[in-house]
Amino acid sequence: MTLPPPPAPAQPGEARLSARPPMPTAPPAAHAQPGEARFSARPPMPTAPPPAHAQPGGVLARGGPPMPTAPTAGPAGAVARRPLNPERYPRTHLPGAEAARGPQPPETRRNLAKIRREDLLRVAGAASAAVAGAFWLFTQVAPGRGGLMFALTAYALFLVFFVALISLDEDRVAIWDRVAGVVIHSAAIVLLAALAVVVVFTLLRGSEAFKHLNFWTEDMSMAGPLTPLTLGGMAHGAIGTLIMIAFALAISIPLGLTCAIFLAEFPSPFARLVRTVVEAMTALPSIICGLFIYATYVLAFGLDKSAFAASLAITIMILPIIVRSADVVLRLVPATLKEASLSTGASRWRTIWHVVLPTAKSGLTTAIVLGTARGIGETSPVLLTAGYTTFFNFNPFSGPMVSLPFATFTLVKSSEPTQVARGFGAAAVLMAMVFGLFWAARKLGGKGAGVLSPRGQRRAAAASARDASRFASRALRQAVDDFEDAQQQPGPGPLPASPGGAR
Amino acid sequence: MIKSAPPAPAPALGARQPRPPVGQPPGSQPPLGSQPPGSRSPGRQPESEPGPDRPRRLKAANGPADRVFRYGAHASGLIVLAIMTLVGVFLAIRGAEAISQAGGRFLTEQDWEPNSGRFGIAAVMFGTIAVALIAIAVALPLALGTATYISEYAPTGVRSFLVGVVDLMAAIPSVVYGLWGMFWLEGRLLPVAEWISAHFGWIPIFKVDRFDPQDPLATPTVFTASACLAGLVVAMMVAPIACSVMREVFAQAPVGEREGALALGASKWGMIRSVVYPFGKGGIIGGTMLGLGRALGETIAVYMVISPIFVINWEILSTGTNSVSSLIALHYGEASNFELSALMAAGLALFAVTMAVNFGAGIIIQRSRSGESS
């Protein structure tokens, strides 16, 4: 019951088995080669596992057999005393089974990133030399190029100077390492900078239009191409977008999720066929969805272009996306959970409704939200099927209705700066919608099947501990009753009280 | 920094009772701290490692609710299959009408005049593939670099933030990228295109006939609305998609092999090149092909920046290119019934290409060492 004494300086053979003391760090190889020796010069990390079995809970539970007296104080106390690291929280509380802690956590990666002073100095030196050199080139040698050209030239010069600087005091291996590091960093910077430019540029150009309040509340019915930005707005586009995506989701969420359940839960050759076709259809270019609805709904059936037609086109586009990602998420639900539910006698659909869907909830939400973001932003299905209007239209079944991306697309083709500004404003609002959806997806989803947040985990553990102590106190009461019964019974001899059997 | 190493090989050690350490009286229970993790429960039989969970085939009597549910699920699968097949079959039937009219010239003819019987997808398909290839040529290094940065170089704290940013970038509507290409990139790209054409004009695809670098009055307007511009815009759209596939695969590269490479004296780049990239090869190829599939089907961003022509234009820097989806967006409005069939035939050809690319990507990702779990 006591904590183990610190392991004695053991024999070499035993040292592998016992909780190892941290390896004595090798003295840093001071006189090592500059290139490769960086790694050997790093003090080796102690890779001994943290002695998991030295935890108070484990030690406590290990000593005693599952006596009915122990758990009343045991489980609650153990939960309270456990370290507050959320990853170490067990989800469920099994009285007396704490020694079997479940699988060990997988290997985690250590962060080996290390910034060396010389590297920083080299980068700074090469960068300043490159900027100066490019400046000299652009003012003295070949004047009058654009900013993008300047950046490209400066980057090329930077690489050259950087390689030259390293090669002064490193060998070939180190040169490759540093240059690869710099190139990889710059690729990431370029991609992120491009994203920043796209977002900031759209917001800046759009702010001309959306800083006016009327942009958010009015439609374009009173505003021609020449009217100033203080009149007219894009509210009709926002309404149209919301109506279209609402109809598309009303069809594709039930259908897509049921289809995904079918694919994941009823494996059969037919399900494989459906999965193959769905995967093929994720490749369907969005404009072809629009063309299909245009050719059938509008031309063959002779119905008007309307928001409903557009939402049908969007449905065809996002349905395969939702089915596919939901199918992937559902297949990640552990089979043990399903079998546990089935083994309690639950029927198939109850298992899916009460076990599979709640377990996969966050992943399913992500699948739906990402499909929605895709559907909201897509212009081409709407372009062919919704028609263009400058009015509010709340009827999805008749009359043209415009969506934000389509309005952007139409407005920026105009040569009037106010129209272009309105187009940018609409794009900015659309982008804000997508960002909001995306934020929601990250907030709700992003976790694997059955993974709880730290708070949820604590809650689950507390509930489980409550249950365990309730069971334990009931068992204790039962045992006491049995014992009293045995005492009162004037039997021929002392009956063996068997609290274990009574449970 | 200190990570928990993998548990010691449990069955082998657990089968043997460890000797009590020196100093302990024999017969007393060995202290818990000195026990290997595998021998937690000495009373339990040392059994062989259980296999992974596999769904078992279950046979049970179904209640009525269960039967309804089963039929409902099958019905929804059937409906989705029906919708998807309907789209495909409809496209195929309507497209076949036009293809049978045009015959083999459908693939070689550059013009698009369905009413006079001269129409083909040579020019538009060439433009589509050219734009997609340029996009991939730009996006692949960017995506590879960014994915490597996120999984190998980025500080742990910002890693999840960067993952979010890149995924967000994949969700930005294409019309926004179109705006960016149209209003921001085009003007800035002109001097670069001019410089490339002046200095690398000896490479056939960079040559622009209508531009003479010696002429001081030469106007850079011949470089507007080029395939290169469209390719760059599409590259920005597909790089995040390719990047997130690659990043997921790189993150799965086994820690033991990474550390083994480092322990053998590899530099960081050496470790990436000899462990991470070979492990993630399937992800790199698959992600690139997924991006390519998206690039081929992209409509609006391309339609906004190009000026459509119906000739095969090998000069990727000069004005004029085309793509199948822009063709559809441009012509659907005033199309007669037959013209619509011709557009559907073009769409069908595009669909065939994107589907082949996507399936190829899927197969490559699945077969690779890293793709078994995805």
Side-chain angles (χ1 to χ4, degrees):
Chain A
M1 278 302 202
T2 52
L3 280 174
Q11 307 293 322
E14 277 171 358
R16 212 174 305 137
L17 297 177
S18 61
R20 284 177 282 183
M23 306 277 269
T25 53
H31 47 270
Q33 299 296 316
E36 259 102 329
R38 286 261 145 70
F39 294 99
S40 63
R42 189 178 298 136
M45 315 259 177
T47 48
H53 40 274
Q55 281 188 8
V59 174
L60 271 179
R62 169 173 267 295
M67 291 277 285
T69 49
T72 43
V79 167
R81 251 180 291 132
R82 218 159 270 151
L84 279 174
N85 185 359
E87 292 185 4
R88 293 222 160 262
Y89 258 101
R91 277 280 298 282
T92 46
H93 192 95
L94 305 176
E98 258 140 316
R101 251 313 138 66
Q104 292 281 322
E107 294 178 316
T108 49
R109 280 175 60 197
R110 280 174 274 165
N111 190 359
L112 301 176
K114 188 176 179 191
I115 298 172
R116 305 174 196 83
R117 195 172 47 113
E118 309 91 57
D119 284 352
L120 284 183
L121 288 177
R122 281 191 199 115
V123 167
S128 47
V131 170
F135 201 69
W136 174 73
L137 276 178
F138 274 66
T139 51
Q140 306 295 320
V141 181
R145 310 264 192 206
L148 195 58
M149 195 68 210
F150 182 85
L152 289 176
T153 318
Y155 183 66
L157 286 176
F158 167 73
L159 282 186
V160 170
F161 286 132
F162 188 69
V163 172
L165 274 181
I166 306 173
S167 58
L168 289 182
D169 46 11
E170 301 275 18
D171 60 355
R172 203 173 49 84
V173 177
I175 293 179
W176 274 113
D177 181 40
R178 305 295 186 279
V179 171
V182 162
V183 169
I184 284 168
H185 274 80
S186 46
I189 290 172
V190 165
L191 198 63
L192 297 178
L195 170 73
V197 166
V198 169
V199 172
V200 171
F201 177 71
T202 312
L203 288 180
L204 274 186
R205 291 287 299 263
S207 66
E208 267 177 64
F210 69 67
K211 70 185 174 194
H212 301 289
L213 192 63
N214 54 304
F215 181 84
W216 301 92
T217 54
E218 293 178 14
D219 63 3
M220 292 281 289
S221 54
M222 307 298 283
L226 293 174
T227 44
L229 288 172
T230 48
L231 196 68
M234 273 295 131
H236 62 303
I239 298 281
T241 300
L242 292 180
I243 289 179
M244 285 176 201
I245 200 70
F247 269 88
L249 288 181
I251 304 172
S252 56
I253 288 180
L255 195 56
L257 287 193
T258 347
C259 181
I261 289 172
F262 164 67
L263 292 184
E265 296 295 321
F266 298 98
S268 64
F270 176 59
R272 264 202 299 283
L273 171 73
V274 175
R275 184 177 288 139
T276 313
V277 171
V278 165
E279 271 178 21
M281 288 320 253
T282 50
L284 189 69
S286 56
I287 188 125
I288 295 179
C289 308
L291 190 64
F292 171 73
I293 293 295
Y294 178 73
T296 52
Y297 187 89
V298 178
L299 293 185
F301 300 158
L303 296 164
D304 265 351
K305 282 186 174 186
S306 64
F308 186 66
S311 43
L312 287 181
I314 295 176
T315 304
I316 293 179
M317 193 188 87
I318 64 176
L319 189 58
I321 301 175
I322 290 183
V323 171
R324 195 180 176 188
S325 35
D327 176 35
V328 170
V329 173
L330 286 176
R331 275 192 287 168
L332 288 180
V333 174
T336 42
L337 280 184
K338 285 185 252 179
E339 288 180 4
S341 167
L342 290 173
S343 69
T344 61
S347 66
R348 201 69 186 266
W349 82 270
R350 271 192 179 281
T351 301
I352 286 164
W353 186 254
H354 289 292
V355 174
V356 175
L357 288 183
T359 309
K361 192 173 67 182
S362 66
L364 293 178
T365 319
T366 315
I368 291 170
V369 172
L370 291 185
T372 312
R374 187 81 192 278
I376 271 191
E378 202 63 61
T379 318
S380 27
V382 182
L383 169 73
L384 270 64
T385 48
Y388 184 73
T389 178
T390 54
F391 292 84
F392 276 121
N393 176 11
F394 294 102
N395 184 355
F397 294 102
S398 82
M401 187 187 285
V402 76
S403 74
L404 283 174
F406 185 30
T408 306
F409 174 72
T410 315
L411 288 173
V412 296
K413 284 195 293 192
S414 159
S415 55
E416 287 299 325
T418 53
Q419 293 288 78
V420 175
R422 285 187 182 111
F424 269 98
V429 174
L430 174 68
M431 213 161 59
M433 274 182 172
V434 173
F435 282 14
L437 277 176
F438 199 81
W439 180 80
R442 296 276 294 180
K443 200 79 188 163
L444 298 173
K447 277 179 294 205
V451 178
L452 294 180
S453 64
R455 183 193 288 178
Q457 219 157 7
R458 272 197 295 277
R459 214 181 293 141
S464 178
R466 258 200 316 276
D467 286 346
S469 69
R470 192 159 50 82
F471 294 156
S473 61
R474 196 171 61 186
L476 178 67
R477 228 180 301 124
Q478 185 83 45
V480 168
D481 288 350
D482 285 353
F483 183 70
E484 283 171 355
D485 287 352
Q487 290 281 319
Q488 284 166 5
Q489 242 172 24
L495 273 181
S498 60
R503 277 188 300 155
Chain B
M1 288 293 272
I2 300 173
K3 61 150 204 164
S4 59
L13 292 173
R16 186 175 44 157
Q17 196 70 18
R19 263 193 304 156
V22 189
Q24 287 276 329
S28 77
Q29 206 188 352
L32 296 166
S34 68
Q35 277 188 351
S39 68
R40 286 250 178 81
S41 44
R44 199 174 289 170
Q45 289 294 319
E47 57 198 26
S48 63
E49 198 73 9
D53 291 331
R54 276 200 205 86
R56 279 175 266 158
R57 187 169 275 287
L58 298 167
K59 285 201 173 131
N62 295 326
D66 231 15
R67 228 168 332 182
V68 169
F69 173 68
R70 173 181 287 267
Y71 289 140
H74 277 78
S76 75
L78 199 64
I79 292 172
V80 170
L81 181 70
I83 294 175
M84 296 301 144
T85 322
L86 189 67
V87 176
V89 168
F90 183 82
L91 270 179
I93 291 177
R94 288 292 302 270
E97 212 174 293
I99 293 177
S100 66
Q101 187 94 0
R105 291 181 60 202
F106 183 70
L107 293 177
T108 55
E109 178 66 52
Q110 300 184 17
D111 267 342
W112 191 263
E113 287 166 20
N115 287 333
S116 61
R118 288 195 312 115
F119 66 99
I121 54 166
V124 283
M125 198 47 105
F126 174 82
T128 307
I129 292 175
V131 168
L133 285 183
I134 295 169
I136 280 302
V138 176
L140 174 61
L142 278 184
L144 189 60
T146 311
T148 315
Y149 174 74
I150 292 178
S151 83
E152 307 298 322
Y153 285 87
T156 327
V158 296
R159 196 171 284 161
S160 69
F161 169 74
L162 288 176
V163 168
V165 168
V166 170
D167 287 351
L168 178 65
M169 204 171 166
I172 289 185
S174 55
V175 70
V176 175
Y177 284 104
L179 285 182
W180 174 74
M182 206 170 155
F183 289 89
W184 192 88
L185 186 62
E186 185 161 27
R188 285 166 175 79
L189 193 65
L190 289 185
V192 181
E194 197 178 327
W195 184 80
I196 293 177
S197 148
H199 292 86
F200 294 93
W202 45 273
I203 301 175
I205 55 168
F206 293 139
K207 192 159 155 314
V208 176
D209 271 338
R210 285 173 293 166
F211 179 74
D212 178 13
Q214 308 303 324
D215 181 3
L217 294 178
T219 159
T221 48
V222 294
F223 299 111
T224 54
S226 60
C228 186
L229 174 66
L232 283 179
V233 171
V234 176
M236 283 303 138
M237 299 179 48
V238 300
I241 298 169
C243 176
S244 54
V245 175
M246 293 180 197
R247 171 186 57 74
E248 274 174 20
V249 174
F250 290 168
Q252 290 170 12
V255 181
E257 288 178 30
R258 284 176 205 267
E259 298 196 343
L262 290 177
L264 286 172
S267 62
K268 186 159 197 168
W269 169 243
M271 182 271 283
I272 292 171
R273 215 189 46 184
S274 57
V275 174
V276 179
Y277 285 171
F279 178 83
K281 199 168 62 186
I284 297 176
I285 300 174
T288 310
M289 287 176 74
L290 271 190
L292 186 65
R294 185 81 192 274
L296 287 167
E298 180 45 44
T299 314
I300 287 299
V302 173
Y303 185 44
M304 281 168 88
V305 296
I306 63 169
S307 66
I309 55 166
F310 288 94
V311 213
I312 289 183
N313 181 4
W314 282 98
E315 303 171 353
I316 61 167
L317 292 175
S318 79
T319 306
T321 181
N322 214 334
S323 79
V324 175
S325 11
S326 313
L327 168 81
I328 296 173
L330 191 66
H331 282 289
Y332 84 97
E334 60 273 11
S336 66
N337 206 6
F338 182 71
E339 280 175 304
L340 211 59
S341 291
L343 288 180
M344 292 207 176
L348 191 66
L350 175 64
F351 181 35
V353 174
T354 51
M355 197 166 72
V357 168
N358 270 23
F359 266 125
I363 289 172
I364 290 176
I365 295 180
Q366 285 281 316
R367 289 221 179 132
S368 67
R369 191 182 147 203
S370 50
E372 285 142 7
S373 59
S374 62

